[in-house]
Amino acid sequence: MAADQDEPTPEQKLGYSMTTPDPRRSQPMARDITADFSAAASALNTGQLVKDEYFTLFEAVGALEIMDPKMDSGFLNPGETLEDDYDVLRELLPEEVLGIMDQMLCYEMAWHMGHPLSQSLFTSLYLDRLLWPEPKTLEGARFDRDNAPGLGNEMLHVVLRAFCLGLIKTCDFVHRRISTEHYYEEEDFVANLYYRKLLTDFEVANLEKTLDDAALYLDGEATIPNKTLKDALVNRLELRRSMLSAVQIDGIVDPHRVTFWERCLELLPGCSKTSTLGTPIVQSFSIKIQRRLASSVPPRPIVNISHHEAFVQLTSLCQNAKDAYRILDYHGGNHLMTFVSAYQSRMPQPCVYVRSLMQSMVFSEMRVLGTMSFKQLIFDDLEEIVLPADVLVDSTNWDVEAPQDPRFHMAKRMDDFVTRAADPFLDIFRTLCMNRSRLRRMLCHLVLDWDSVQVDAESFDTELRTYNKEEPIKESKNPSEELWAFPLSSWAYYHKLRQMEWIVQMGFELDVYLIDELGGMYWYLQHLTSTRIQHLERIRTFTTRRLARISKPTPEQKTAFRRSFSFLDFATLDAAATASFAEGLSCVFSFLSHLGLIPAPYHARPYSTPALRYNLRMRPFLSISLPEVPSYPEFASLVSLRTPDKTNAAPATQPEINDQASQMLELADQALKAARREWEAVSKVDAETARCVGCEDWWRTSAKNVLRACITANIMVSTAKKAVVSAGSKDPKDVLNLELVESGKGYHPWWVVPKISAK
Amino acid sequence: MSDSNTFIAPPELRYIQYHSSKESTYLSAIRQLISKDLSEPYSIYVYRYFLYQWGDLCFMALDEKDSLIGVVISKLEPHRGGPMRGYIAMLAVREEYRGKGVATKLVRMAVDVMVERDADEIALETEVTNTAAMKLYERLGFLRSKRLHRYYLNGNSAFRFMLFVKESTAQCGDEDENPQLPPRPPSA
Ligand SMILES: CC(C)(COP(=O)(O)OP(=O)(O)OC[C@H]1O[C@@H](n2cnc3c(N)ncnc32)[C@H](O)[C@@H]1OP(=O)(O)O)[C@@H](O)C(=O)NCCC(=O)NCCS
């Protein structure tokens, strides 16, 4: 596994000692130690483990048993040869070249999907010949290597070679892009190159020229009578060239890159259609190469994906990469966040290369989207959420040089705050670019960072007050109590609450909650969004007062306040819509467990206790200072769980049970009706207000799907209501059918709506 | 809903705790049983790693002829200097004997010893498509604590299952980031 990665391959060791002899090391003296070893081993019992404390499970798992064909990649079955007998230099027909190109494309996609090169591209004998031993010049990267180039066989030496070189260089750029960003080794991508270099040292222009020359050669080639076949080859060379230009490292944030991806998308349907013309050469790929790539891991099978799957994968890669560039059209921090989150939550999620590309666009070489400083981004976000046209973010403060001037200090402290908050803020975007499982796990860490950003921000707020002469709000009822705006910590709290909501919502998406937990988790989501609404109200109070105190607002000030109020309005609507839907579903699940159609939340199990299981579920939030996680008894009574005391009470009569069931349905009904109105309102909001300029299509699709889920939930509740009425004093369970929708099969992954029907 | 307490295991089976003295009798059978569902076998060191250090946390189900029907292999140690964590590493039951509560019984025996030996929490991973294993652990009181993307060599994802045994555990902050067993492909 990972243990093999630092070890040089036998070839490398050999190459090293041949070319650079180490004078300090004398020739080793060999001595047969078999007898000593047997003697020492006989002192041990069978099964006794001799290990130091550094021999961990990881090493145990990485260990191999030599001569076991399933583990020992060097093991040869009787009659098996070490090398392949496929002749890389044999004459190739045009249709064979086409076939090989498409096979390579499949393996390239397999690599993009997370499989190692040793099980995909690097099994190609052609690529192996080009890359090993490492060519010193681009001219040297040829199939006949050191031999003088022979005449003829241009299909191989010109066409296939150009294709291969273009492919390898593309992989080089892809590999470097992913390696500079956050990703998870083995989960997302296997970065191991097995000591091969992917033409890293050669200029992209020379490779582009090689591809152009090959296309020219084909153009003038009269010996391919089949025009469709010839065009298919030319198109593939152009596809390679466009992709190569698209993924180049230099200038990755240049919006013109889109044109290359567009060209790929134009070429792809034709390539896909003509793939049937090719003749695949299966023997030109061999698992035996693995022995030389990674001798210390077990042999692993070649990963074969179909042409169809490969073209689908490549098309979505190109489309997603093209779409990613839409991010460069900046409209504000909240638009940016909506963009990244909407972009990443589309299913299937964009592949790791594109997710890395997006990270690079958001922030690389100290620039946001290639043009802005991080400070600009944070200030923009602060202005929109808490500080419209505020003196704290007034850019003229930074021109003040007199230390006695409060503006000088405000500028300094605000800079310090940006330094403090920059990484956690950037991490939100980064986290959103991770695979969905990691997204949830990383959010659980990030939210703790934000908890401490919030604490630190409070000190900043307190200190800044002395410079900006903030006056607290004094309630007339209680004049001794002073309310301060705490803008920076309010901002941090806002972002923290959003992350907490995401953690819960990702739990639904990833199918982490058991059926009996759904009611409680929707209750908690409702609790978090209600807290966000209260927090937005608090922010609004201070912003409103600040505006009221400006006697004659300038047009710029008016615009800034208008923008901030529009944000607060929309955020409140969005939070309210989420809260209502969550409340409604929570009631639906309570109703179902009340009737015994699903198990009661955290019901008794042989091990652990309900409270312990609740604590386990709430663990990501337990150490967060605010909002505090309710204790289990509080939670249980709030969510109207069947707590142990309740179950111990005398069993309720059927009419009583039905009466309670009706009440629960009534609550569900009210909440879901409100949710429907609110989600309708959300889905009608214009892009500017919804902070989704640039990603309106994805955002709208998602909002519509939530609305669909919400409408379905409304229908389910009215069905249930009718059934309970018709049951009279009988058990409604006997007239209701419950069907749980499989994870990922509903309208929206964050909204689990059970199917309820009358029997 | 079935209550696992009412589960009755096939009576003809005997359940016994492993001991290093049993290595020569059972180890190869254990390996065979576990390897059946793996596309890539564990080396002998992995078995010895567990069995030598935590043989008493390994239980076997044997039929009347003493052939191995099922096995559970686990360990128990402080997790990153924090809570005492039990970990169920391997579990398998012979195909003809599945669905009869054999695995449940084996897991319960291992968990009971862990609890006795002061475990704070118990963890394990299983493939997201392994319905039988998930059902088994959920019925005992385990929760899915996180999803692990492409955790196994075959590219499949896993759930980490957790069980808190003691009050104190809840307060311990963070769960580990890295899985305990490096990924191996389970069920073929
Ligand atoms: C997982 C495994 C150990 C379970 O062994 P077992 O003795 O059959 O388990 P039990 O009978 O104690 O319990 C399994 C539960 O899953 C249910 N189950 C079994 N197969 C199922 C399936 N395909 N779908 C849904 N439920 C299933 C059983 O009915 C039983 O639940 P129930 O009592 O509510 O009916 C066994 O299937 C196995 O060896 N699998 C291969 C190895 C493996 O996957 N190990 C687990 C790695 S974590």
Side-chain angles (χ1 to χ4, degrees):
Chain A
M1 220 131 304
D4 57 276
Q5 291 183 3
D6 307 324
E7 246 178 73
T9 63
E11 274 158 335
Q12 271 223 329
K13 284 182 192 158
L14 202 65
Y16 178 82
S17 61
M18 283 192 310
T19 52
T20 30
D22 187 344
R24 290 161 301 180
R25 226 182 271 165
S26 55
Q27 273 297 302
M29 287 278 290
R31 184 169 69 83
D32 188 347
I33 59 158
T34 313
D36 304 84
F37 183 78
S38 302
S42 66
L44 297 171
N45 295 323
T46 313
Q48 186 171 345
L49 192 67
V50 187
K51 70 173 195 75
D52 61 18
E53 56 184 305
Y54 304 107
F55 185 84
T56 63
L57 177 53
F58 197 77
E59 272 85 41
V61 172
L64 297 177
E65 279 171 67
I66 304 305
M67 299 306 286
D68 179 333
K70 278 186 161 180
M71 287 191 239
D72 183 354
S73 59
F75 181 85
L76 290 179
N77 279 311
E80 195 186 343
T81 56
L82 187 62
E83 292 293 336
D84 292 276
D85 45 17
Y86 181 78
D87 177 14
V88 173
L89 294 177
R90 78 177 183 86
E91 270 313 303
L92 286 178
L93 296 169
E95 50 270 34
E96 290 176 324
V97 171
L98 190 76
I100 296 170
M101 286 177 172
D102 285 356
Q103 282 175 291
M104 288 189 181
L105 208 114
C106 292
Y107 293 124
E108 182 187 12
M109 288 305 114
W111 181 55
H112 273 277
M113 291 157 88
H115 299 285
L117 285 169
S118 62
Q119 289 172 265
S120 55
L121 277 177
F122 277 7
T123 60
S124 159
L125 292 161
Y126 288 106
L127 295 181
D128 186 58
R129 182 63 70 86
L130 291 176
L131 291 179
W132 194 260
E134 187 192 329
K136 297 286 173 265
T137 61
L138 190 57
E139 290 64 46
R142 34 186 313 119
F143 299 118
D144 42 12
R145 297 306 302 242
D146 298 338
N147 300 332
L151 288 177
N153 206 357
E154 281 87 357
M155 283 315 298
L156 172 73
H157 293 306
V158 178
V159 181
L160 186 60
R161 174 173 175 264
F163 182 92
C164 291
L165 294 181
L167 164 66
I168 297 165
K169 189 70 189 171
T170 302
C171 293
D172 176 43
F173 286 134
V174 166
H175 182 265
R176 283 197 268 161
R177 167 71 40 222
I178 296 173
S179 305
T180 48
E181 299 298 343
H182 281 230
Y183 74 96
Y184 288 90
E185 184 68 27
E186 296 202 336
E187 263 180 49
D188 292 314
F189 184 66
V190 180
N192 200 339
L193 298 179
Y194 311 94
Y195 307 98
R196 306 284 190 268
K197 266 188 167 175
L198 300 173
L199 307 179
T200 314
D201 302 332
F202 305 125
E203 291 293 328
V204 66
N206 295 339
L207 287 144
E208 286 169 343
K209 179 160 184 311
T210 311
L211 282 160
D212 291 342
D213 290 348
L216 266 177
Y217 161 80
L218 280 173
D219 239 7
E221 185 53 43
T223 53
I224 308 174
N226 184 339
K227 169 118 180 24
T228 331
L229 180 60
K230 190 159 139 181
D231 289 348
L233 288 165
V234 173
N235 281 349
R236 277 161 179 73
L237 290 174
E238 199 193 338
L239 179 68
R240 282 263 68 101
R241 195 193 191 289
S242 305
M243 247 180 103
L244 179 61
S245 311
V247 297
Q248 253 190 83
I249 297 285
D250 291 337
I252 194 81
V253 193
D254 178 354
H256 295 299
R257 279 295 165 86
V258 170
T259 53
F260 296 117
W261 291 116
E262 280 167 350
R263 185 67 192 134
C264 292
L265 286 166
E266 282 162 16
L267 290 164
L268 270 167
C271 292
S272 168
K273 234 181 273 152
T274 49
S275 76
T276 46
L277 301 178
T279 309
I281 309 289
V282 180
Q283 317 85 280
S284 74
F285 296 85
S286 164
I287 198 82
K288 292 186 184 202
I289 299 180
Q290 260 184 22
R291 291 191 178 125
R292 291 187 281 123
L293 299 174
S295 58
S296 54
V297 283
R300 294 193 178 132
I302 298 185
V303 177
N304 286 304
I305 64 170
S306 68
H307 280 155
H308 174 73
E309 203 183 338
F311 279 107
V312 168
Q313 179 75 19
L314 181 53
T315 308
S316 81
L317 191 157
C318 297
Q319 184 66 48
N320 286 331
K322 176 187 161 213
D323 287 343
Y325 282 89
R326 281 156 60 174
I327 200 176
L328 296 179
D329 186 13
Y330 178 77
H331 292 266
N334 284 297
H335 289 276
L336 186 64
M337 204 170 289
T338 314
F339 188 99
V340 179
S341 128
Y343 179 88
Q344 299 293 356
S345 46
R346 289 168 312 144
M347 310 247 188
Q349 197 188 16
C351 70
V352 61
Y353 173 72
V354 188
R355 290 191 275 118
S356 307
L357 176 65
M358 176 145 292
Q359 290 181 64
S360 300
M361 292 213 253
V362 170
F363 191 71
S364 58
E365 288 163 13
M366 303 310 286
R367 298 316 274 168
V368 174
L369 305 180
T371 53
M372 270 193 289
S373 71
F374 214 77
K375 179 171 151 185
Q376 271 172 292
L377 177 65
I378 292 195
F379 271 38
D380 192 39
D381 200 52
L382 283 167
E383 260 210 275
E384 178 158 88
I385 300 180
V386 285
L387 291 172
D390 194 277
V391 61
L392 293 178
V393 289
D394 184 344
S395 60
T396 60
N397 293 354
W398 277 262
D399 304 331
V400 178
E401 286 172 3
Q404 65 278 22
D405 191 320
R407 287 176 299 164
F408 173 84
H409 293 280
M410 282 191 261
K412 217 167 145 297
R413 297 307 282 144
M414 286 303 285
D415 278 341
D416 292 343
F417 181 68
V418 168
T419 309
R420 170 69 185 88
D423 274 334
F425 196 57
L426 179 59
D427 282 343
I428 302 178
F429 296 97
R430 255 200 207 121
T431 301
L432 287 170
C433 293
M434 296 299 113
N435 70 59
R436 304 300 279 174
S437 304
R438 283 287 174 179
L439 168 56
R440 177 166 175 274
R441 292 165 68 180
M442 276 180 73
L443 281 170
C444 292
H445 293 279
L446 189 59
V447 74
L448 299 178
D449 287 349
W450 277 85
D451 198 48
S452 68
V453 172
Q454 190 187 343
V455 171
D456 292 350
E458 272 181 35
S459 331
F460 278 96
D461 284 326
T462 316
E463 198 189 339
L464 284 164
R465 259 184 228 159
T466 58
Y467 301 120
N468 71 355
K469 306 275 181 301
E470 180 186 345
E471 283 175 34
I473 295 180
K474 287 188 182 135
E475 303 251 10
S476 46
K477 306 176 265 184
N478 188 2
S480 64
E481 199 185 335
E482 298 181 333
L483 297 176
W484 299 89
F486 284 106
L488 301 182
S489 52
S490 288
W491 175 78
Y493 189 37
Y494 182 78
H495 282 298
K496 189 179 80 180
L497 283 169
R498 288 301 313 255
Q499 290 156 33
M500 294 175 77
E501 291 168 32
W502 285 337
I503 294 173
V504 178
Q505 287 168 320
M506 285 310 297
F508 294 113
E509 179 174 326
L510 298 173
D511 204 17
V512 160
Y513 310 130
L514 304 185
I515 179 76
D516 63 289
E517 294 183 278
L518 295 175
M521 291 323 285
Y522 277 118
W523 173 82
Y524 188 57
L525 179 60
Q526 171 280 130
H527 176 67
L528 290 173
T529 37
S530 305
T531 310
R532 179 151 66 101
I533 295 171
Q534 286 164 19
H535 184 53
L536 285 163
E537 272 320 301
R538 186 182 189 280
I539 295 173
R540 187 194 300 276
T541 307
F542 285 95
T543 304
T544 309
R545 190 177 72 127
R546 209 156 49 72
L547 178 62
R549 294 197 161 191
I550 302 175
S551 49
K552 253 203 171 153
T554 64
E556 291 78 35
Q557 285 176 320
K558 278 188 193 158
T559 312
F561 275 95
R562 212 177 299 126
R563 175 173 169 229
S564 187
F565 282 124
S566 136
F567 170 78
L568 297 175
D569 289 344
F570 178 70
T572 307
L573 174 63
D574 166 76
T578 306
S580 305
F581 197 177
E583 164 75 8
L585 282 181
S586 173
C587 294
V588 169
F589 284 108
S590 292
F591 160 79
L592 293 173
S593 81
H594 178 72
L595 290 187
L597 284 162
I598 59 171
Y602 301 110
H603 57 294
R605 294 291 201 186
Y607 294 96
S608 197
T609 64
L612 278 173
R613 263 179 284 143
Y614 169 78
N615 278 345
L616 171 58
R617 182 53 73 211
M618 290 298 181
R619 174 150 66 172
F621 311 113
L622 286 179
S623 50
I624 287 173
S625 51
L626 203 73
E628 225 176 301
V629 174
S631 70
Y632 180 69
E634 271 176 274
F635 168 83
S637 65
L638 283 165
V639 190
S640 63
L641 302 179
R642 276 200 224 154
T643 55
D645 332 342
K646 278 193 195 161
T647 37
N648 286 344
T653 63
Q654 195 63 51
E656 275 169 9
I657 290 176
N658 291 9
D659 197 39
Q660 277 175 9
S662 303
Q663 286 172 26
M664 286 174 170
L665 280 178
E666 201 45 55
L667 289 177
D669 198 34
Q670 281 168 21
L672 289 172
K673 279 193 175 122
R676 183 178 173 160
R677 277 193 306 275
E678 286 153 353
W679 278 106
E680 267 163 4
V682 169
S683 62
K684 283 187 193 125
V685 167
D686 66 285
E688 189 59 51
T689 311
R691 269 64 185 172
C692 68
V693 175
C695 62
E696 189 178 347
D697 43 353
W698 309 321
W699 180 84
R700 233 170 255 298
T701 307
S702 167
K704 285 225 175 73
N705 286 337
V706 179
L707 181 58
R708 282 203 190 107
C710 186
I711 292 170
T712 313
N714 271 287
I715 297 170
M716 295 307 138
V717 167
S718 41
T719 308
K721 273 168 87 172
K722 277 190 211 120
V724 171
V725 170
S726 75
S729 59
K730 293 195 300 278
D731 190 344
K733 205 165 41 184
D734 300 335
V735 296
L736 279 180
N737 254 334
L738 173 69
E739 204 187 310
L740 294 167
V741 182
E742 230 179 285
S743 137
K745 297 272 162 68
Y747 283 119
H748 195 285
W750 289 358
W751 299 100
V752 184
V753 181
K755 260 198 194 139
I756 303 172
S757 55
K759 264 189 194 164
Chain B
M1 266 120 280
S2 74
D3 179 357
S4 57
N5 289 316
T6 63
F7 236 163
I8 298 169
E12 69 273 22
L13 297 186
R14 289 194 300 126
Y15 292 84
I16 61 163
Q17 195 169 36
Y18 181 85
H19 186 270
S20 56
S21 61
K22 301 187 170 114
E23 159 144 354
S24 55
T25 327
Y26 295 113
L27 185 55
S28 73
I30 292 177
R31 284 188 77 178
Q32 239 174 12
L33 185 57
I34 302 269
S35 303
K36 232 177 154 234
D37 295 295
L38 299 174
S39 66
E40 205 171 278
Y42 288 123
S43 76
I44 183 78
Y45 304 102
V46 179
Y47 294 93
R48 293 223 165 109
Y49 178 86
F50 286 103
L51 295 176
Y52 186 69
Q53 300 182 87
W54 298 279
D56 52 346
L57 290 175
C58 166
F59 289 89
M60 301 181 289
L62 306 174
D63 68 7
E64 69 279 10
K65 285 192 229 109
D66 276 357
S67 354
L68 189 73
I69 302 303
V71 66
V72 62
I73 294 178
S74 38
K75 66 171 183 156
L76 177 70
E77 60 185 339
H79 179 66
R80 302 191 163 187
M84 198 60 168
R85 178 184 279 196
Y87 179 71
I88 298 177
M90 302 176 209
L91 171 70
V93 170
R94 237 164 66 187
E95 204 143 0
E96 323 82 88
Y97 286 82
R98 288 186 192 168
K100 299 187 167 84
V102 177
T104 304
K105 171 93 181 159
L106 288 166
V107 169
R108 293 197 66 154
M109 290 174 87
V111 169
D112 287 339
V113 176
M114 291 179 193
V115 172
E116 212 172 276
R117 287 180 40 191
D118 229 23
D120 293 300
E121 57 188 33
I122 298 166
L124 61 104
E125 290 94 33
T126 158
E127 204 171 345
V128 296
T129 49
N130 193 341
T131 326
M134 294 198 293
K135 211 165 159 187
L136 183 165
Y137 291 115
E138 283 161 11
R139 242 188 5 222
L140 291 178
F142 285 80
L143 291 187
R144 304 173 183 182
S145 77
K146 57 179 68 162
R147 196 182 177 107
L148 311 165
H149 182 66
R150 295 186 81 245
Y151 179 71
Y152 295 106
L153 275 179
N154 62 9
N156 284 354
S157 297
F159 283 118
R160 157 85 41 76
F161 276 86
M162 284 290 283
L163 178 81
F164 278 176
V165 189
K166 269 203 234 145
E167 235 30 86
S168 58
T169 341
Q171 298 315 320
C172 301
D174 192 29
E175 213 177 308
D176 71 330
E177 265 311 295
N178 299 313
Q180 302 224 333
L181 258 188
R184 284 284 154 172
S187 49

